[in-house]
């Protein structure tokens, strides 16, 4: 974490949002730091957009409050907040051309024509759209529209830019490209970004920190690595990437380790330094292992900490990677194992008997 | 290439041939007849078919026709402005503030229009008349000492009656245009700092312009040619050009002059419509 990321830009304090009798947000609290790229990640309907709209001022919170740049935003309408939004549908004004769209907010600020033209040209250059100034919304591609929407927010120089799934309408290739561009743009201008997405990969690639939401609550707020390596519960674990779950029993706890009996993997001492001290370790009943933490061992390869026998049930070939479904001895549900297709390694056909290697430090513990 | 194009064109022609025939017989033929008539001359009971511009000279040169034409335009423009101005808030309310049962509301707006137009005009006479509902009520409440006379058998009555009659035809296109406005555009305008009023003039109104233009034309064009309303509630200074056209074709037995008056008013209203369309397009910021 860079030290510019220390001042809180947005403080969300116990925000509750009800729509009639339905509660969309159950007391959300979070601090978003200045200059941070922050993502709200969660499945459809978990309240990401609602939280973003509460921050933008489009929805008043039922309870709780939001402060931006140290100022309480209660009662301050959306048009007076230091935030600007990039809408999911981009909301490009159809009767105005690109320049007029981008200059829209500056005109409201009563800036001179020359100043507006200068700022608009500058920001259009930044998003690589300088030759499209006279085009109308319907004459632009999805990616270009997205850039215009971003430029329209950027040109306002807000303290925070809010983005509601800005890339979901783009095809995969353009999306990958825009993810990188957006991230580097945010780094270079240093404005705080809050991105809503339901795409975990997108969140992991772009964010400094991610809040994972389920059913109107933040389940975990952490860095991408923290979320991936130390998910706090099974729901977060299976939402971020792939996780193999195996039932486990606690045999004993020491200061350094917890001794577990894990289905198919057997007894093992798991180091405690990665486990949250507040976590009730006696209650562990499941462990998780990421697919890449398992290895299909070649005969010569003998460096793995632990080994277990298994049979390949199925495989999916992705070019650079192969995902195997492997049934481990003594456990019915197959586990997923991913292997990088490095030189000299051939794809193991289904039905093969294999030795699977794994390590104690790759284990994440969960309780019900 | 040319061959294929011809074949495609032929196919298209066959596809629309029925509609085309209908349009030709029902619209183009009568129109052509009226235009042709306007260049002939009525010679007592027979028609002199030598082509002449005399009818037009009379139509455009005679003061009475000029007065009637101006008055028709004035009345229909007032009616249009009044109707559209009243229709807009209704359509706006329906589109933006009614969240449930919009269809029912629209349906209710059309209810008064299930009865015949004639009946509704007569009802306006009952309401606006010397001993009418309005006057009796105002007298009874002591607001006035003598019945108001400026509300029936004059221009005002024509405007009131027509504005009421055409209200739903103005509400509907405006409503549709407002419904089509993506609500996130309005939020985007707010997000960029616009107050609700500013946003209305910068986003809502320009995007509703196609509906407003449609409503304007839908009301303006038929009201210029209306002759029943002025006859029933207009008195003498509420008479319009169509009443004169009707007289020429009927009592006066001068169909060619009537035709020339009809064609003249058609041309005038056509030009005005094109003008309104162009202005609307410009105001609407070239909305597609
Ligand atoms: N105006 C509203 N009235 C009633 N319920 C609403 C309203 N807006 C949102 N909700 C409900 O609140 C919940 C959260 O909605 P929200 O739009 O925040 O979800 P989301 O996380 O953005 O989902 P998605 O990924 O599908 O966009 C949903 O169950 C939704 O039905
Ligand atoms: Mg959403």
């Amino acid at each position: 974490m860079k030290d510019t990321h220390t001042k809180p830009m947005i403080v969300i304090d116990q925000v509750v949002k009800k729509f009639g009798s339905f509660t969309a947000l159950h007391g959300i609290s979070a601090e978003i730091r200045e200059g941070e790229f922050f993502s709200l990640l969660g499945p459809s309907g978990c309240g990401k957009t609602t939280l973003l709209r509460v921050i933008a001022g489009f929805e008043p919170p039922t309870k709780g409050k939001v402060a931006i740049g140290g100022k309480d935003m209660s009662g301050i309408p959306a048009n007076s907040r230091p935030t600007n939004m990039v809408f999911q549908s981009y909301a490009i004004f159809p009767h105005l051309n690109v320049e007029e769209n981008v200059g829209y907010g500056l005109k409201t600020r009563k800036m001179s024509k020359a100043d507006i033209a200068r700022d608009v040209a500058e920001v259009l250059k930044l998003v690589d759209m300088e030759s499209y100034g006279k085009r109308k919304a319907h004459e632009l591609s999805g990616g270009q529209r997205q850039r215009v929407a971003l430029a329209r927010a950027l040109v306002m120089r807000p303290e925070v830019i809010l983005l509601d799934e800005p890339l979901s309408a783009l095809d995969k290739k353009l999306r990958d490209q825009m993810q990188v561009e957006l991230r580097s743009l945010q780094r270079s201008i240093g404005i705080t970004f809050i991105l809503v997405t339901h795409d975990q990969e997108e969140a992991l690639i772009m964010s400094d920190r991610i809040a994972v939401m389920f059913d109107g609550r933040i389940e975990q707020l952490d860095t991408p690595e923290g979320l991936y390596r130390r998910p706090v519960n099974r729901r977060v674990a299976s939402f971020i990437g792939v996780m193999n779950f195996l039932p486990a029993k606690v045999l004993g706890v020491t200061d350094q380790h917890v001794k577990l009996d894990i289905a198919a993997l057997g007894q093992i001492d798991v180091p405690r330094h990665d486990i949250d001290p507040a976590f009730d370790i006696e209650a562990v009943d499941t462990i998780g292992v990421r697919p890449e933490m398992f290895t299909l061992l070649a005969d010569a390869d003998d460096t793995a900490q632990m080994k277990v026998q298994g049979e390949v049930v199925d495989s999916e070939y992705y070019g650079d990677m192969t995902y195997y479904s492997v049934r481990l001895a003594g456990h019915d549900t197959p586990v997923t194992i991913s292997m990088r297709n490095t030189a000299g390694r051939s794809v193991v056909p289904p039905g093969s008997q294999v030795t699977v290697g794994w390590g104690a430090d790759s284990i994440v513990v969960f309780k019900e | 290439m040319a061959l294929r194009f011809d074949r495609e064109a032929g196919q298209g022609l066959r596809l629309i041939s029925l509609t085309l025939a209908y349009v030709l017989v029902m619209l183009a033929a009568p129109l052509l007849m009226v235009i042709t008539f306007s260049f002939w001359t009525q010679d007592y009971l027979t028609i002199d078919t030598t082509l002449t511009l005399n009818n037009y000279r009379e139509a455009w040169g005679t003061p009475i026709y000029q007065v009637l034409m101006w008055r028709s335009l004035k009345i229909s423009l007032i009616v249009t402005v009044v109707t559209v101005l009243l229709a807009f808030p209704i359509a706006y309310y329906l589109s933006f503030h009614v969240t449930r049962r919009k269809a029912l509301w629209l349906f209710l707006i059309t209810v008064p229009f299930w009865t015949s137009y004639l009946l509704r005009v007569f009802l306006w006479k009952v309401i606006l008349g010397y001993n009418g509902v309005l006057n009796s009520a105002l007298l009874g409440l002591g607001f006035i000492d003598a019945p108001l006379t400026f509300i029936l058998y004059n221009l005002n009555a024509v405007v009131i009656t027509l504005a009421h009659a055409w209200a739903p035809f103005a509400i509907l296109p405006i409503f549709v245009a407002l419904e089509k406005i993506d609500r996130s555009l309005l939020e985007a305008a707010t997000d960029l700092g616009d107050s609700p009023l500013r946003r209305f003039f910068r986003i809502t109104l320009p995007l509703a312009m196609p509906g407003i233009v449609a409503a304007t034309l839908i009301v303006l064009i038929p009201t210029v040619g209306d002759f029943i309303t002025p006859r029933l509630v207009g008195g003498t200074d509420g008479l319009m050009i169509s009443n004169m056209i009707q007289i020429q074709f009927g009592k006066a037995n001068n169909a060619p002059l009537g035709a020339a008056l009809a064609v003249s008013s058609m041309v005038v209203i056509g030009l005005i419509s094109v003008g309104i369309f162009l202005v609307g397009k410009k105001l609407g910021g070239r909305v597609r």
Side-chain angles (χ1 to χ4, degrees):
Chain A
M1 201 72 33
K2 282 182 274 177
D3 37 318
T4 51
H5 284 186
T6 44
K7 229 166 85 190
M9 173 53 81
I10 298 188
V11 179
I12 301 164
D13 184 19
Q14 291 296 322
V15 166
V16 174
K17 179 67 196 179
K18 290 187 180 175
F19 294 109
S21 60
F22 175 77
T23 308
L25 300 175
H26 296 266
I28 300 262
S29 293
E31 279 190 15
I32 295 158
R33 300 167 190 150
E34 192 175 337
E36 186 170 40
F37 199 121
F38 189 92
S39 291
L40 297 170
L41 174 66
S44 186
C46 70
K48 308 179 294 288
T49 298
T50 306
L51 181 56
L52 204 69
R53 291 171 60 81
V54 167
I55 296 172
F58 291 122
E59 304 278 4
T62 312
K63 259 195 228 135
K65 55 189 175 194
V66 172
I68 303 178
K71 271 219 311 265
D72 184 5
M73 287 289 132
S74 312
I76 296 184
N79 55 339
S80 320
R81 293 196 180 193
T83 57
N84 280 108
M85 188 126 159
V86 175
F87 290 81
Q88 182 165 9
S89 58
Y90 306 144
I92 307 292
F93 304 124
H95 56 305
L96 305 177
N97 66 25
V98 168
E99 280 172 1
E100 290 164 331
N101 262 282
V102 175
Y104 190 95
L106 300 181
K107 216 168 152 189
T108 307
R109 287 189 184 161
K110 310 233 157 39
M111 278 171 61
S112 77
K113 272 214 173 88
D115 287 351
I116 292 178
R118 191 200 55 225
D119 281 13
V120 167
E122 203 172 282
V123 77
L124 281 181
K125 192 153 179 228
L126 190 67
V127 297
D128 224 4
M129 287 286 290
E130 65 261 61
S131 52
Y132 294 90
K134 298 289 182 245
R135 295 241 192 139
K136 286 291 187 52
H138 64 89
E139 296 165 337
L140 299 172
S141 72
Q144 291 166 340
R145 262 178 238 198
Q146 201 264 325
R147 283 161 208 254
V148 173
L150 184 65
R152 193 172 66 181
L154 283 174
V155 81
M156 304 294 286
R157 299 176 207 275
E159 296 188 41
V160 183
I161 291 191
L162 309 168
L163 306 103
D164 191 359
E165 310 213 16
L167 306 177
S168 62
L170 308 180
D171 62 58
K172 172 107 179 77
K173 209 155 178 187
L174 188 58
R175 194 163 62 224
D176 291 349
Q177 182 198 336
M178 289 305 295
Q179 282 170 0
V180 178
E181 282 185 24
L182 207 56
R183 175 75 241 224
S184 61
L185 188 75
Q186 188 269 339
R187 283 231 170 95
S188 66
I189 54 179
I191 294 180
T192 310
F193 272 42
I194 303 181
L195 172 84
V196 160
T197 178
H198 60 253
D199 181 344
Q200 45 102 6
E201 198 178 311
E202 185 169 297
L204 291 179
I205 292 172
M206 300 174 78
S207 323
D208 291 319
R209 288 191 308 153
I210 302 170
V212 182
M213 292 179 68
F214 285 99
D215 302 331
R217 292 188 175 86
I218 294 181
E219 302 259 286
Q220 187 169 3
L221 199 167
D222 211 333
T223 58
E225 197 190 354
L227 280 179
Y228 191 80
R229 298 185 59 141
R230 295 178 299 276
V232 295
N233 59 34
R234 293 182 60 168
R235 207 145 59 145
V236 173
S238 42
F239 194 73
I240 313 270
V242 180
M243 183 69 97
N244 293 299
F245 294 107
L246 293 166
K249 258 207 310 269
V250 179
L251 297 177
V253 183
T254 68
D255 282 352
Q256 297 298 314
H257 293 94
V258 51
K259 194 175 185 60
L260 294 172
D261 183 13
I262 304 168
L265 300 183
Q267 296 190 4
I268 176 124
D269 286 327
V270 175
R272 285 186 68 173
H273 56 77
D274 261 1
I275 303 172
D276 182 355
F279 187 84
D280 175 15
I281 211 138
E282 299 283 352
V284 169
D285 59 1
T286 311
I287 62 103
V289 185
R290 294 286 184 193
E292 67 277 13
M293 296 298 182
F294 284 122
T295 327
L296 293 190
L297 296 176
D299 292 335
D301 196 352
D302 219 359
T303 54
Q305 206 181 355
M306 317 278 174
K307 288 179 211 168
V308 57
Q309 294 302 309
E311 183 193 341
V312 175
V313 183
D314 202 359
S315 67
E316 281 173 62
Y317 181 73
Y318 281 86
D320 58 337
M321 304 282 283
T322 307
Y323 280 80
Y324 296 98
S325 235
V326 177
R327 187 175 294 125
L328 300 178
H331 190 60
D332 279 345
T333 322
V335 294
T336 304
I337 299 177
S338 67
M339 293 297 290
R340 189 153 281 287
N341 294 329
T342 47
R345 187 193 292 279
S346 52
V347 174
V348 183
S352 311
Q353 296 297 320
V354 288
T355 307
V356 175
W358 57 286
D361 53 359
S362 62
I363 282 178
V364 189
V365 292
F366 300 108
K367 58 179 192 197
E368 205 40 64
Chain B
M1 202 63 213
L3 203 85
R4 223 196 68 194
F5 177 76
D6 281 351
R7 190 144 21 97
E8 269 180 17
Q11 258 178 11
L13 211 62
R14 270 201 298 286
L15 265 175
I16 61 160
S17 57
L18 215 73
T19 330
L20 196 67
Y22 179 85
V23 168
L24 281 177
V25 173
M26 306 304 280
L27 282 171
L31 196 64
L32 276 176
M33 260 170 70
V34 169
I35 293 174
T36 319
F37 252 84
S38 68
F39 294 106
W40 291 345
T41 316
Q42 186 83 34
D43 196 5
Y44 296 105
L45 291 177
T46 58
I47 298 244
D48 178 358
T49 58
T50 35
L51 298 181
T52 167
L53 284 174
N54 280 341
N55 294 318
Y56 285 98
R57 235 166 261 139
E58 198 174 342
W60 288 86
T62 317
I64 173 73
Y65 302 142
Q66 288 172 355
V67 168
L68 284 178
M69 190 66 219
W70 275 122
R71 187 189 292 155
S72 299
L73 286 177
K74 192 174 83 184
I75 291 180
S76 51
L77 280 174
I78 296 173
V79 168
T80 307
V81 170
V82 168
T83 311
V84 171
L85 281 184
L86 291 178
F88 193 91
I90 296 173
Y92 187 91
Y93 182 81
L94 264 180
S95 180
F96 285 92
H97 296 286
V98 175
T99 46
R100 263 183 268 179
R101 307 219 190 89
K102 275 188 194 181
L104 180 73
W105 276 82
L106 280 177
F107 176 76
L108 287 177
I109 283 176
T110 65
V111 166
F113 304 90
W114 295 3
T115 52
S116 106
Y117 177 55
L118 225 54
L119 215 64
R120 274 179 285 135
V121 179
F122 276 114
L123 283 174
W124 276 112
K125 277 175 93 149
V126 173
I127 294 171
L128 300 174
Y130 191 80
N131 293 317
V133 177
L134 192 64
N135 275 329
S136 319
L138 290 177
L139 277 172
L141 289 171
F143 287 131
I144 51 175
D145 305 324
L148 304 172
T149 52
F150 65 87
I151 51 174
L152 190 61
Y153 299 124
N154 58 21
L155 208 143
N156 297 334
V158 177
V159 171
I160 293 173
T161 313
L162 281 175
H164 173 247
W166 288 95
F169 298 94
I171 293 172
L172 284 174
I174 297 174
F175 172 76
V176 169
L178 290 173
E179 280 290 285
K180 265 183 25 196
I181 298 176
D182 182 355
R183 299 311 192 246
S184 66
L185 296 177
L186 302 178
E187 286 192 340
T190 303
D191 188 64
L192 292 166
D194 269 358
S195 65
L197 192 69
R198 224 177 128 76
R199 178 182 82 182
F200 175 80
F201 285 108
R202 293 178 82 189
I203 305 289
T204 316
L205 202 56
L207 291 180
M209 206 39 91
I212 295 172
V213 169
T216 307
L217 296 182
I218 285 176
V219 178
L220 179 75
I221 295 172
T223 46
V224 178
D226 188 56
F227 60 94
I228 296 179
T229 319
R231 258 300 270 294
L232 294 176
V233 298
T236 44
D237 56 328
L239 280 186
M240 290 165 63
I241 190 76
S242 313
N243 302 101
M244 185 51 78
I245 296 173
Q246 191 202 10
I247 288 169
Q248 293 303 335
F249 274 97
K251 262 186 262 172
N253 192 26
N254 193 349
L257 181 59
L261 285 170
V263 171
S264 302
S265 70
M266 218 159 68
V267 168
V268 169
I269 203 69
L271 289 175
I272 292 176
S273 301
V274 170
I276 289 173
F277 182 76
L278 292 177
V279 169
K281 221 171 159 187
K282 196 155 186 306
L283 286 181
R286 312 142 305 231
V287 187
R288 268 173 65 108

